[in-house]
Amino acid sequence: MKLYAIFGNPVAHSISPTIHNYAFMHLRFPGCYTKILVQDGSKLKEKFLELQLQGVNITVPHKEWAYKLADEVFGIAKEVEAVNTWYNKDGKIHAYNTDAPGFYESIKEYEFSNILILGAGGTAKAIALYLKEQGYDPQILNRSEKRLAFFKERGFSCYTWDEFSVQKYDLIINTTSAGLKDNSLPAPQDILLPLMKQAKYAVDVIYNKLTPFLALAKDLGLTYKDGTDMLLYQGVLAFEIFTDFAYEKEYIIKLMKKSLQL
Ligand code: NDP
């Protein structure tokens, strides 16, 4: 039996065990996935080795620690310097970031070219860099200056609320935590309204919730979605890593969707 887990703090709300265990069960794969509360990020590796885990997902607030403590980092995670998946490959911790490719999979059905990302935190970094790799040139809008430095250094056009003048974007992505635990919009209404009136799509990375941002999109008749598909696809990509790509991806997607009754 191979053991898997999600490390985080808080972690009780995580639905990752549901999707992974459902897939293990249906594939008759000898795996079991659980939740483990980890308070101190510097102890991630110790826990991983002590419990002899085959793979883990790492969530808030430990993704930077997961990057620092890995033996080998792959793909976009190297540039983002944040990791959400570890796999024990012959005793070495191989690390990946499946959030950004998961996000991209979740919006593949949309047709867009101009993109605005609201927020400049860890999720925004991963999504912006990954979209750039795919040939897009997303712009960044954040309430404050500090976190924009990362994006400026890498050639993105970025603005604080004060500097911003409204342009036309097809796709607006909310990566801020506005609306997660409160009822706030990710930017002031006088910025957001004209932006959204011209947009086609609004996507929030917060899952299982119609945030005020998405409620506004709905009122304005935009096509919109929350972060549930992103969560699903990051899980699918992690599952492929956990099982050494032994199963057909489309089938894993089907199973995981079923586990969430999507
Ligand atoms: P960070 O803490 O790294 O960044 C938060 C960003 O949001 C910052 O740019 C911050 O601005 C901005 N912000 C916070 N509160 C507000 C507010 N009230 N109004 C406007 N801007 C605000 O967070 P993460 O990037 O790690 O996570 C962001 C969200 O993504 C979380 O809600 C998380 O749940 C979700 N997520 C979803 C995933 C999924 O699979 N669906 C996967 C990963 C994350 P400032 O710089 O000014 O502080």
Side-chain angles (χ1 to χ4, degrees), residues 13 59-60 63-64 84 99 118-125 141-148 161 174-180 182 184-187 204-207 226-232 234:
H13 66 287
T59 187
V60 180
K63 292 183 189 182
E64 281 83 12
N84 77 328
D99 284 334
L118 306 174
T123 309
K125 278 184 194 171
L141 177 63
N142 197 41
R143 65 179 171 187
S144 62
E145 180 72 42
K146 198 170 159 220
R147 293 195 218 226
L148 291 178
W161 293 350
N174 177 34
T175 71
T176 78
S177 28
L180 182 66
D182 57 26
S184 64
L185 284 167
D204 206 315
V205 299
I206 294 170
Y207 59 88
D226 73 5
T228 307
D229 281 357
M230 174 183 178
L231 185 82
L232 172 87
Q234 64 77 27

mmCIF file of all heavy atoms in Angstrom, residues 13 59-60 63-64 84 99 118-125 141-148 161 174-180 182 184-187 204-207 226-232 234, ligand 1:
data_model
loop_
_atom_site.group_PDB
_atom_site.id
_atom_site.type_symbol
_atom_site.label_atom_id
_atom_site.label_comp_id
_atom_site.label_asym_id
_atom_site.label_seq_id
_atom_site.Cartn_x
_atom_site.Cartn_y
_atom_site.Cartn_z
ATOM 1 N N HIS A 13 -10.630 21.407 5.645
ATOM 2 C CA HIS A 13 -11.619 21.646 4.595
ATOM 3 C C HIS A 13 -11.249 20.993 3.258
ATOM 4 O O HIS A 13 -12.043 20.978 2.322
ATOM 5 C CB HIS A 13 -11.746 23.159 4.365
ATOM 6 C CG HIS A 13 -10.467 23.728 3.791
ATOM 7 N ND1 HIS A 13 -9.329 23.890 4.540
ATOM 8 C CD2 HIS A 13 -10.143 24.105 2.534
ATOM 9 C CE1 HIS A 13 -8.370 24.365 3.777
ATOM 10 N NE2 HIS A 13 -8.838 24.507 2.550
ATOM 11 N N THR A 59 -0.424 22.598 0.627
ATOM 12 C CA THR A 59 -1.256 23.775 0.429
ATOM 13 C C THR A 59 -0.857 24.884 1.394
ATOM 14 O O THR A 59 0.160 24.771 2.099
ATOM 15 C CB THR A 59 -2.767 23.401 0.498
ATOM 16 O OG1 THR A 59 -3.530 24.541 0.132
ATOM 17 C CG2 THR A 59 -3.194 22.941 1.894
ATOM 18 N N VAL A 60 -1.640 25.954 1.380
ATOM 19 C CA VAL A 60 -1.384 27.159 2.177
ATOM 20 C C VAL A 60 -1.051 26.792 3.621
ATOM 21 O O VAL A 60 -1.736 25.956 4.197
ATOM 22 C CB VAL A 60 -2.665 28.035 2.166
ATOM 23 C CG1 VAL A 60 -2.476 29.306 2.986
ATOM 24 C CG2 VAL A 60 -3.037 28.386 0.737
ATOM 25 N N LYS A 63 3.736 26.348 0.627
ATOM 26 C CA LYS A 63 4.232 26.056 -0.727
ATOM 27 C C LYS A 63 5.676 26.524 -0.950
ATOM 28 O O LYS A 63 6.406 25.917 -1.732
ATOM 29 C CB LYS A 63 3.299 26.671 -1.777
ATOM 30 C CG LYS A 63 1.939 25.983 -1.801
ATOM 31 C CD LYS A 63 1.031 26.537 -2.877
ATOM 32 C CE LYS A 63 -0.371 25.970 -2.683
ATOM 33 N NZ LYS A 63 -1.318 26.411 -3.691
ATOM 34 N N GLU A 64 6.062 27.607 -0.278
ATOM 35 C CA GLU A 64 7.458 28.086 -0.430
ATOM 36 C C GLU A 64 8.424 27.150 0.297
ATOM 37 O O GLU A 64 9.495 26.842 -0.207
ATOM 38 C CB GLU A 64 7.626 29.519 0.096
ATOM 39 C CG GLU A 64 7.123 30.595 -0.861
ATOM 40 C CD GLU A 64 5.623 30.803 -0.745
ATOM 41 O OE1 GLU A 64 5.032 30.276 0.214
ATOM 42 O OE2 GLU A 64 5.048 31.472 -1.632
ATOM 43 N N ASN A 84 3.379 22.574 -5.037
ATOM 44 C CA ASN A 84 2.207 21.987 -4.366
ATOM 45 C C ASN A 84 2.172 20.465 -4.441
ATOM 46 O O ASN A 84 1.231 19.842 -3.962
ATOM 47 C CB ASN A 84 0.905 22.563 -4.935
ATOM 48 C CG ASN A 84 0.557 21.943 -6.275
ATOM 49 O OD1 ASN A 84 1.433 21.579 -7.050
ATOM 50 N ND2 ASN A 84 -0.714 21.809 -6.561
ATOM 51 N N ASP A 99 -0.698 23.737 -9.837
ATOM 52 C CA ASP A 99 -1.769 24.747 -9.765
ATOM 53 C C ASP A 99 -1.944 25.483 -11.098
ATOM 54 O O ASP A 99 -3.064 25.647 -11.583
ATOM 55 C CB ASP A 99 -1.452 25.800 -8.688
ATOM 56 C CG ASP A 99 -1.687 25.281 -7.275
ATOM 57 O OD1 ASP A 99 -2.516 24.367 -7.100
ATOM 58 O OD2 ASP A 99 -1.038 25.789 -6.347
ATOM 59 N N LEU A 118 -6.133 39.827 -11.458
ATOM 60 C CA LEU A 118 -6.307 40.636 -10.247
ATOM 61 C C LEU A 118 -5.557 39.944 -9.114
ATOM 62 O O LEU A 118 -5.813 38.772 -8.832
ATOM 63 C CB LEU A 118 -7.790 40.758 -9.894
ATOM 64 C CG LEU A 118 -8.709 41.271 -11.010
ATOM 65 C CD1 LEU A 118 -10.170 41.196 -10.580
ATOM 66 C CD2 LEU A 118 -8.352 42.701 -11.387
ATOM 67 N N GLY A 119 -4.617 40.669 -8.487
ATOM 68 C CA GLY A 119 -3.831 40.078 -7.406
ATOM 69 C C GLY A 119 -2.427 39.754 -7.868
ATOM 70 O O GLY A 119 -2.177 39.581 -9.080
ATOM 71 N N ALA A 120 -1.510 39.709 -6.897
ATOM 72 C CA ALA A 120 -0.094 39.501 -7.244
ATOM 73 C C ALA A 120 0.590 38.550 -6.263
ATOM 74 O O ALA A 120 1.796 38.601 -6.069
ATOM 75 C CB ALA A 120 0.618 40.859 -7.246
ATOM 76 N N GLY A 121 -0.198 37.649 -5.645
ATOM 77 C CA GLY A 121 0.359 36.689 -4.694
ATOM 78 C C GLY A 121 0.901 35.446 -5.396
ATOM 79 O O GLY A 121 1.150 35.450 -6.608
ATOM 80 N N GLY A 122 1.056 34.375 -4.624
ATOM 81 C CA GLY A 122 1.649 33.139 -5.147
ATOM 82 C C GLY A 122 0.870 32.552 -6.316
ATOM 83 O O GLY A 122 1.460 32.115 -7.314
ATOM 84 N N THR A 123 -0.446 32.567 -6.213
ATOM 85 C CA THR A 123 -1.265 31.979 -7.281
ATOM 86 C C THR A 123 -1.165 32.816 -8.555
ATOM 87 O O THR A 123 -1.071 32.278 -9.664
ATOM 88 C CB THR A 123 -2.738 31.894 -6.817
ATOM 89 O OG1 THR A 123 -2.759 31.262 -5.536
ATOM 90 C CG2 THR A 123 -3.586 31.114 -7.778
ATOM 91 N N ALA A 124 -1.150 34.137 -8.387
ATOM 92 C CA ALA A 124 -1.014 35.029 -9.545
ATOM 93 C C ALA A 124 0.322 34.790 -10.257
ATOM 94 O O ALA A 124 0.378 34.737 -11.491
ATOM 95 C CB ALA A 124 -1.119 36.486 -9.100
ATOM 96 N N LYS A 125 1.385 34.621 -9.480
ATOM 97 C CA LYS A 125 2.722 34.373 -10.074
ATOM 98 C C LYS A 125 2.679 33.127 -10.953
ATOM 99 O O LYS A 125 3.130 33.126 -12.098
ATOM 100 C CB LYS A 125 3.744 34.099 -8.955
ATOM 101 C CG LYS A 125 4.302 35.310 -8.289
ATOM 102 C CD LYS A 125 5.351 34.827 -7.295
ATOM 103 C CE LYS A 125 5.762 35.891 -6.331
ATOM 104 N NZ LYS A 125 6.598 35.384 -5.249
ATOM 105 N N LEU A 141 -3.057 43.542 -12.033
ATOM 106 C CA LEU A 141 -3.594 44.676 -11.274
ATOM 107 C C LEU A 141 -3.658 44.282 -9.803
ATOM 108 O O LEU A 141 -4.304 43.284 -9.460
ATOM 109 C CB LEU A 141 -4.994 45.028 -11.799
ATOM 110 C CG LEU A 141 -5.751 46.136 -11.077
ATOM 111 C CD1 LEU A 141 -5.021 47.479 -11.176
ATOM 112 C CD2 LEU A 141 -7.170 46.285 -11.669
ATOM 113 N N ASN A 142 -2.963 45.047 -8.956
ATOM 114 C CA ASN A 142 -2.957 44.725 -7.519
ATOM 115 C C ASN A 142 -3.238 45.989 -6.713
ATOM 116 O O ASN A 142 -2.966 47.094 -7.162
ATOM 117 C CB ASN A 142 -1.597 44.140 -7.119
ATOM 118 C CG ASN A 142 -1.658 43.413 -5.793
ATOM 119 O OD1 ASN A 142 -2.627 42.695 -5.515
ATOM 120 N ND2 ASN A 142 -0.633 43.568 -4.967
ATOM 121 N N ARG A 143 -3.767 45.790 -5.494
ATOM 122 C CA ARG A 143 -4.118 46.979 -4.703
ATOM 123 C C ARG A 143 -2.869 47.722 -4.231
ATOM 124 O O ARG A 143 -2.904 48.916 -4.011
ATOM 125 C CB ARG A 143 -5.004 46.603 -3.517
ATOM 126 C CG ARG A 143 -4.323 45.728 -2.504
ATOM 127 C CD ARG A 143 -5.209 45.390 -1.323
ATOM 128 N NE ARG A 143 -4.540 44.377 -0.523
ATOM 129 C CZ ARG A 143 -5.062 43.757 0.504
ATOM 130 N NH1 ARG A 143 -6.303 44.015 0.853
ATOM 131 N NH2 ARG A 143 -4.378 42.859 1.170
ATOM 132 N N SER A 144 -1.763 47.015 -4.063
ATOM 133 C CA SER A 144 -0.558 47.687 -3.558
ATOM 134 C C SER A 144 0.662 47.343 -4.414
ATOM 135 O O SER A 144 0.641 46.414 -5.234
ATOM 136 C CB SER A 144 -0.315 47.295 -2.098
ATOM 137 O OG SER A 144 -0.092 45.914 -2.027
ATOM 138 N N GLU A 145 1.732 48.074 -4.171
ATOM 139 C CA GLU A 145 2.907 48.085 -5.056
ATOM 140 C C GLU A 145 3.850 46.883 -4.837
ATOM 141 O O GLU A 145 4.358 46.297 -5.792
ATOM 142 C CB GLU A 145 3.665 49.402 -4.768
ATOM 143 C CG GLU A 145 4.922 49.640 -5.561
ATOM 144 C CD GLU A 145 4.649 49.967 -7.025
ATOM 145 O OE1 GLU A 145 3.711 50.741 -7.301
ATOM 146 O OE2 GLU A 145 5.385 49.438 -7.882
ATOM 147 N N LYS A 146 4.067 46.538 -3.555
ATOM 148 C CA LYS A 146 5.183 45.676 -3.175
ATOM 149 C C LYS A 146 5.300 44.385 -4.019
ATOM 150 O O LYS A 146 6.344 44.084 -4.586
ATOM 151 C CB LYS A 146 5.064 45.334 -1.687
ATOM 152 C CG LYS A 146 6.351 44.818 -1.106
ATOM 153 C CD LYS A 146 6.282 44.731 0.402
ATOM 154 C CE LYS A 146 7.342 43.754 0.871
ATOM 155 N NZ LYS A 146 6.903 42.901 1.933
ATOM 156 N N ARG A 147 4.187 43.653 -4.104
ATOM 157 C CA ARG A 147 4.255 42.347 -4.772
ATOM 158 C C ARG A 147 4.372 42.458 -6.297
ATOM 159 O O ARG A 147 4.582 41.454 -6.979
ATOM 160 C CB ARG A 147 3.021 41.530 -4.436
ATOM 161 C CG ARG A 147 2.947 41.141 -2.990
ATOM 162 C CD ARG A 147 1.908 40.052 -2.860
ATOM 163 N NE ARG A 147 1.148 40.204 -1.652
ATOM 164 C CZ ARG A 147 0.873 39.202 -0.822
ATOM 165 N NH1 ARG A 147 1.313 38.011 -1.080
ATOM 166 N NH2 ARG A 147 0.156 39.407 0.256
ATOM 167 N N LEU A 148 4.228 43.683 -6.833
ATOM 168 C CA LEU A 148 4.321 43.837 -8.291
ATOM 169 C C LEU A 148 5.769 43.739 -8.784
ATOM 170 O O LEU A 148 6.006 43.491 -9.971
ATOM 171 C CB LEU A 148 3.695 45.163 -8.737
ATOM 172 C CG LEU A 148 2.170 45.253 -8.583
ATOM 173 C CD1 LEU A 148 1.670 46.630 -9.009
ATOM 174 C CD2 LEU A 148 1.472 44.168 -9.410
ATOM 175 N N TRP A 161 -4.021 49.974 -8.202
ATOM 176 C CA TRP A 161 -5.337 50.568 -8.473
ATOM 177 C C TRP A 161 -5.192 52.044 -8.877
ATOM 178 O O TRP A 161 -5.881 52.501 -9.787
ATOM 179 C CB TRP A 161 -6.235 50.480 -7.226
ATOM 180 C CG TRP A 161 -6.618 49.080 -6.845
ATOM 181 C CD1 TRP A 161 -6.412 47.939 -7.577
ATOM 182 C CD2 TRP A 161 -7.276 48.662 -5.642
ATOM 183 N NE1 TRP A 161 -6.892 46.848 -6.903
ATOM 184 C CE2 TRP A 161 -7.432 47.255 -5.716
ATOM 185 C CE3 TRP A 161 -7.745 49.324 -4.507
ATOM 186 C CZ2 TRP A 161 -8.042 46.520 -4.695
ATOM 187 C CZ3 TRP A 161 -8.357 48.592 -3.491
ATOM 188 C CH2 TRP A 161 -8.506 47.205 -3.584
ATOM 189 N N ASN A 174 -9.595 36.457 -11.055
ATOM 190 C CA ASN A 174 -9.372 36.910 -9.680
ATOM 191 C C ASN A 174 -8.519 35.900 -8.921
ATOM 192 O O ASN A 174 -8.954 34.778 -8.661
ATOM 193 C CB ASN A 174 -10.697 37.096 -8.928
ATOM 194 C CG ASN A 174 -10.434 37.498 -7.491
ATOM 195 O OD1 ASN A 174 -9.471 38.211 -7.204
ATOM 196 N ND2 ASN A 174 -11.270 37.037 -6.581
ATOM 197 N N THR A 175 -7.309 36.321 -8.569
ATOM 198 C CA THR A 175 -6.449 35.445 -7.747
ATOM 199 C C THR A 175 -6.294 36.010 -6.344
ATOM 200 O O THR A 175 -5.490 35.512 -5.565
ATOM 201 C CB THR A 175 -5.036 35.286 -8.358
ATOM 202 O OG1 THR A 175 -4.333 36.527 -8.207
ATOM 203 C CG2 THR A 175 -5.077 34.879 -9.797
ATOM 204 N N THR A 176 -7.008 37.095 -6.022
ATOM 205 C CA THR A 176 -6.912 37.642 -4.658
ATOM 206 C C THR A 176 -7.790 36.797 -3.738
ATOM 207 O O THR A 176 -8.619 36.016 -4.207
ATOM 208 C CB THR A 176 -7.407 39.104 -4.571
ATOM 209 O OG1 THR A 176 -8.836 39.112 -4.565
ATOM 210 C CG2 THR A 176 -6.888 39.954 -5.707
ATOM 211 N N SER A 177 -7.597 36.989 -2.439
ATOM 212 C CA SER A 177 -8.471 36.254 -1.524
ATOM 213 C C SER A 177 -9.707 37.071 -1.147
ATOM 214 O O SER A 177 -10.438 36.683 -0.237
ATOM 215 C CB SER A 177 -7.686 35.798 -0.297
ATOM 216 O OG SER A 177 -6.618 36.671 -0.027
ATOM 217 N N ALA A 178 -9.961 38.173 -1.861
ATOM 218 C CA ALA A 178 -11.183 38.955 -1.622
ATOM 219 C C ALA A 178 -12.388 38.083 -1.968
ATOM 220 O O ALA A 178 -12.458 37.528 -3.061
ATOM 221 C CB ALA A 178 -11.179 40.215 -2.487
ATOM 222 N N GLY A 179 -13.305 37.956 -1.012
ATOM 223 C CA GLY A 179 -14.483 37.128 -1.257
ATOM 224 C C GLY A 179 -14.347 35.738 -0.671
ATOM 225 O O GLY A 179 -15.293 34.964 -0.649
ATOM 226 N N LEU A 180 -13.159 35.399 -0.181
ATOM 227 C CA LEU A 180 -12.951 34.070 0.399
ATOM 228 C C LEU A 180 -13.666 33.979 1.747
ATOM 229 O O LEU A 180 -14.471 33.087 1.973
ATOM 230 C CB LEU A 180 -11.447 33.797 0.554
ATOM 231 C CG LEU A 180 -11.028 32.443 1.106
ATOM 232 C CD1 LEU A 180 -11.390 31.326 0.151
ATOM 233 C CD2 LEU A 180 -9.520 32.395 1.386
ATOM 234 N N ASP A 182 -14.789 37.076 3.248
ATOM 235 C CA ASP A 182 -15.577 38.299 3.419
ATOM 236 C C ASP A 182 -16.434 38.494 2.173
ATOM 237 O O ASP A 182 -16.511 37.603 1.333
ATOM 238 C CB ASP A 182 -14.635 39.500 3.619
ATOM 239 C CG ASP A 182 -13.660 39.655 2.451
ATOM 240 O OD1 ASP A 182 -13.995 39.216 1.328
ATOM 241 O OD2 ASP A 182 -12.569 40.212 2.642
ATOM 242 N N SER A 184 -16.022 41.124 -0.012
ATOM 243 C CA SER A 184 -15.456 42.252 -0.753
ATOM 244 C C SER A 184 -15.166 41.890 -2.209
ATOM 245 O O SER A 184 -14.954 40.722 -2.549
ATOM 246 C CB SER A 184 -14.186 42.746 -0.055
ATOM 247 O OG SER A 184 -13.219 41.751 -0.073
ATOM 248 N N LEU A 185 -15.117 42.914 -3.034
ATOM 249 C CA LEU A 185 -14.709 42.760 -4.436
ATOM 250 C C LEU A 185 -13.184 42.851 -4.500
ATOM 251 O O LEU A 185 -12.568 43.505 -3.649
ATOM 252 C CB LEU A 185 -15.320 43.883 -5.278
ATOM 253 C CG LEU A 185 -16.805 43.755 -5.624
ATOM 254 C CD1 LEU A 185 -17.324 45.081 -6.172
ATOM 255 C CD2 LEU A 185 -17.033 42.631 -6.636
ATOM 256 N N PRO A 186 -12.548 42.259 -5.505
ATOM 257 C CA PRO A 186 -11.086 42.296 -5.575
ATOM 258 C C PRO A 186 -10.496 43.634 -6.014
ATOM 259 O O PRO A 186 -9.275 43.814 -6.001
ATOM 260 C CB PRO A 186 -10.761 41.205 -6.597
ATOM 261 C CG PRO A 186 -12.003 41.024 -7.375
ATOM 262 C CD PRO A 186 -13.150 41.393 -6.507
ATOM 263 N N ALA A 187 -11.344 44.569 -6.427
ATOM 264 C CA ALA A 187 -10.895 45.925 -6.791
ATOM 265 C C ALA A 187 -12.093 46.853 -6.606
ATOM 266 O O ALA A 187 -13.242 46.385 -6.582
ATOM 267 C CB ALA A 187 -10.403 45.953 -8.240
ATOM 268 N N ASP A 204 -12.665 32.916 -11.089
ATOM 269 C CA ASP A 204 -12.159 33.115 -9.732
ATOM 270 C C ASP A 204 -11.420 31.846 -9.338
ATOM 271 O O ASP A 204 -11.868 30.742 -9.671
ATOM 272 C CB ASP A 204 -13.338 33.365 -8.772
ATOM 273 C CG ASP A 204 -12.905 34.179 -7.564
ATOM 274 O OD1 ASP A 204 -11.845 33.865 -6.997
ATOM 275 O OD2 ASP A 204 -13.623 35.122 -7.203
ATOM 276 N N VAL A 205 -10.302 31.981 -8.615
ATOM 277 C CA VAL A 205 -9.605 30.753 -8.182
ATOM 278 C C VAL A 205 -10.183 30.218 -6.865
ATOM 279 O O VAL A 205 -9.900 29.100 -6.477
ATOM 280 C CB VAL A 205 -8.077 30.936 -8.059
ATOM 281 C CG1 VAL A 205 -7.461 31.302 -9.385
ATOM 282 C CG2 VAL A 205 -7.714 31.955 -7.006
ATOM 283 N N ILE A 206 -10.999 31.033 -6.194
ATOM 284 C CA ILE A 206 -11.677 30.547 -4.979
ATOM 285 C C ILE A 206 -12.722 29.517 -5.405
ATOM 286 O O ILE A 206 -13.467 29.758 -6.354
ATOM 287 C CB ILE A 206 -12.340 31.729 -4.235
ATOM 288 C CG1 ILE A 206 -11.249 32.683 -3.719
ATOM 289 C CG2 ILE A 206 -13.236 31.239 -3.100
ATOM 290 C CD1 ILE A 206 -11.759 34.003 -3.184
ATOM 291 N N TYR A 207 -12.754 28.375 -4.722
ATOM 292 C CA TYR A 207 -13.642 27.322 -5.210
ATOM 293 C C TYR A 207 -14.880 27.136 -4.332
ATOM 294 O O TYR A 207 -14.902 27.535 -3.184
ATOM 295 C CB TYR A 207 -12.904 26.003 -5.414
ATOM 296 C CG TYR A 207 -12.229 25.409 -4.210
ATOM 297 C CD1 TYR A 207 -12.912 24.567 -3.345
ATOM 298 C CD2 TYR A 207 -10.895 25.675 -3.951
ATOM 299 C CE1 TYR A 207 -12.280 23.998 -2.250
ATOM 300 C CE2 TYR A 207 -10.261 25.130 -2.855
ATOM 301 C CZ TYR A 207 -10.962 24.295 -2.006
ATOM 302 O OH TYR A 207 -10.333 23.745 -0.928
ATOM 303 N N ASP A 226 -15.930 29.355 -11.007
ATOM 304 C CA ASP A 226 -15.112 29.452 -9.792
ATOM 305 C C ASP A 226 -13.901 28.510 -9.911
ATOM 306 O O ASP A 226 -13.634 27.966 -10.990
ATOM 307 C CB ASP A 226 -15.959 29.187 -8.537
ATOM 308 C CG ASP A 226 -16.334 27.720 -8.367
ATOM 309 O OD1 ASP A 226 -15.878 26.865 -9.163
ATOM 310 O OD2 ASP A 226 -17.084 27.405 -7.431
ATOM 311 N N GLY A 227 -13.178 28.324 -8.808
ATOM 312 C CA GLY A 227 -11.920 27.579 -8.867
ATOM 313 C C GLY A 227 -12.051 26.064 -8.734
ATOM 314 O O GLY A 227 -11.044 25.363 -8.594
ATOM 315 N N THR A 228 -13.294 25.553 -8.805
ATOM 316 C CA THR A 228 -13.471 24.106 -8.621
ATOM 317 C C THR A 228 -12.772 23.316 -9.734
ATOM 318 O O THR A 228 -12.116 22.304 -9.470
ATOM 319 C CB THR A 228 -14.979 23.752 -8.571
ATOM 320 O OG1 THR A 228 -15.590 24.573 -7.590
ATOM 321 C CG2 THR A 228 -15.179 22.288 -8.218
ATOM 322 N N ASP A 229 -12.890 23.773 -10.973
ATOM 323 C CA ASP A 229 -12.225 23.051 -12.079
ATOM 324 C C ASP A 229 -10.702 23.119 -11.935
ATOM 325 O O ASP A 229 -9.995 22.153 -12.218
ATOM 326 C CB ASP A 229 -12.622 23.646 -13.435
ATOM 327 C CG ASP A 229 -13.996 23.161 -13.876
ATOM 328 O OD1 ASP A 229 -14.585 22.337 -13.156
ATOM 329 O OD2 ASP A 229 -14.469 23.619 -14.930
ATOM 330 N N MET A 230 -10.201 24.271 -11.470
ATOM 331 C CA MET A 230 -8.750 24.401 -11.252
ATOM 332 C C MET A 230 -8.296 23.369 -10.222
ATOM 333 O O MET A 230 -7.295 22.662 -10.405
ATOM 334 C CB MET A 230 -8.429 25.804 -10.756
ATOM 335 C CG MET A 230 -6.981 26.007 -10.359
ATOM 336 S SD MET A 230 -6.735 27.668 -9.700
ATOM 337 C CE MET A 230 -5.006 27.600 -9.269
ATOM 338 N N LEU A 231 -9.079 23.267 -9.149
ATOM 339 C CA LEU A 231 -8.767 22.309 -8.086
ATOM 340 C C LEU A 231 -8.780 20.880 -8.629
ATOM 341 O O LEU A 231 -7.897 20.062 -8.338
ATOM 342 C CB LEU A 231 -9.807 22.456 -6.974
ATOM 343 C CG LEU A 231 -9.568 21.614 -5.758
ATOM 344 C CD1 LEU A 231 -8.550 22.313 -4.869
ATOM 345 C CD2 LEU A 231 -10.843 21.395 -4.983
ATOM 346 N N LEU A 232 -9.781 20.619 -9.443
ATOM 347 C CA LEU A 232 -9.909 19.285 -10.037
ATOM 348 C C LEU A 232 -8.695 18.961 -10.908
ATOM 349 O O LEU A 232 -8.060 17.913 -10.758
ATOM 350 C CB LEU A 232 -11.187 19.246 -10.875
ATOM 351 C CG LEU A 232 -11.382 17.997 -11.712
ATOM 352 C CD1 LEU A 232 -12.070 16.939 -10.885
ATOM 353 C CD2 LEU A 232 -12.210 18.298 -12.949
ATOM 354 N N GLN A 234 -5.667 20.430 -11.022
ATOM 355 C CA GLN A 234 -4.384 20.315 -10.336
ATOM 356 C C GLN A 234 -4.287 18.937 -9.681
ATOM 357 O O GLN A 234 -3.226 18.343 -9.601
ATOM 358 C CB GLN A 234 -4.111 21.486 -9.370
ATOM 359 C CG GLN A 234 -5.043 21.639 -8.171
ATOM 360 C CD GLN A 234 -4.774 20.671 -7.034
ATOM 361 O OE1 GLN A 234 -3.654 20.216 -6.882
ATOM 362 N NE2 GLN A 234 -5.791 20.337 -6.254
HETATM 363 P P1 NDP B 1 -1.416 35.362 -1.398
HETATM 364 O O1 NDP B 1 -1.588 35.662 0.043
HETATM 365 O O2 NDP B 1 -0.083 34.932 -1.905
HETATM 366 O O3 NDP B 1 -1.863 36.680 -2.274
HETATM 367 C C1 NDP B 1 -3.051 37.344 -2.022
HETATM 368 C C2 NDP B 1 -3.251 38.483 -3.050
HETATM 369 O O4 NDP B 1 -4.574 38.976 -2.860
HETATM 370 C C3 NDP B 1 -2.325 39.674 -2.892
HETATM 371 O O5 NDP B 1 -2.032 40.205 -4.166
HETATM 372 C C4 NDP B 1 -3.149 40.675 -2.063
HETATM 373 O O6 NDP B 1 -2.818 42.018 -2.311
HETATM 374 C C5 NDP B 1 -4.523 40.395 -2.619
HETATM 375 N N1 NDP B 1 -5.625 40.662 -1.692
HETATM 376 C C6 NDP B 1 -5.872 40.049 -0.506
HETATM 377 N N2 NDP B 1 -7.020 40.533 0.034
HETATM 378 C C7 NDP B 1 -7.492 41.462 -0.834
HETATM 379 C C8 NDP B 1 -8.637 42.312 -0.837
HETATM 380 N N3 NDP B 1 -9.525 42.293 0.155
HETATM 381 N N4 NDP B 1 -8.818 43.139 -1.897
HETATM 382 C C9 NDP B 1 -7.939 43.132 -2.913
HETATM 383 N N5 NDP B 1 -6.821 42.381 -2.969
HETATM 384 C C10 NDP B 1 -6.609 41.552 -1.936
HETATM 385 O O7 NDP B 1 -2.534 34.284 -1.737
HETATM 386 P P2 NDP B 1 -2.468 33.033 -2.756
HETATM 387 O O8 NDP B 1 -2.048 33.510 -4.098
HETATM 388 O O9 NDP B 1 -1.700 31.921 -2.125
HETATM 389 O O10 NDP B 1 -4.004 32.551 -2.777
HETATM 390 C C11 NDP B 1 -4.993 33.382 -3.350
HETATM 391 C C12 NDP B 1 -6.316 32.615 -3.483
HETATM 392 O O11 NDP B 1 -6.160 31.520 -4.374
HETATM 393 C C13 NDP B 1 -6.843 32.027 -2.170
HETATM 394 O O12 NDP B 1 -8.185 32.428 -2.064
HETATM 395 C C14 NDP B 1 -6.750 30.520 -2.383
HETATM 396 O O13 NDP B 1 -7.810 29.853 -1.721
HETATM 397 C C15 NDP B 1 -6.890 30.398 -3.894
HETATM 398 N N6 NDP B 1 -6.298 29.167 -4.493
HETATM 399 C C16 NDP B 1 -7.120 28.291 -5.172
HETATM 400 C C17 NDP B 1 -6.608 27.127 -5.754
HETATM 401 C C18 NDP B 1 -7.536 26.166 -6.469
HETATM 402 O O14 NDP B 1 -7.114 25.038 -6.757
HETATM 403 N N7 NDP B 1 -8.735 26.552 -6.835
HETATM 404 C C19 NDP B 1 -5.173 26.786 -5.676
HETATM 405 C C20 NDP B 1 -4.376 27.789 -4.982
HETATM 406 C C21 NDP B 1 -4.949 28.923 -4.407
HETATM 407 P P3 NDP B 1 -1.580 42.790 -1.544
HETATM 408 O O15 NDP B 1 -0.333 42.445 -2.319
HETATM 409 O O16 NDP B 1 -1.947 44.230 -1.637
HETATM 410 O O17 NDP B 1 -1.552 42.257 -0.140
#
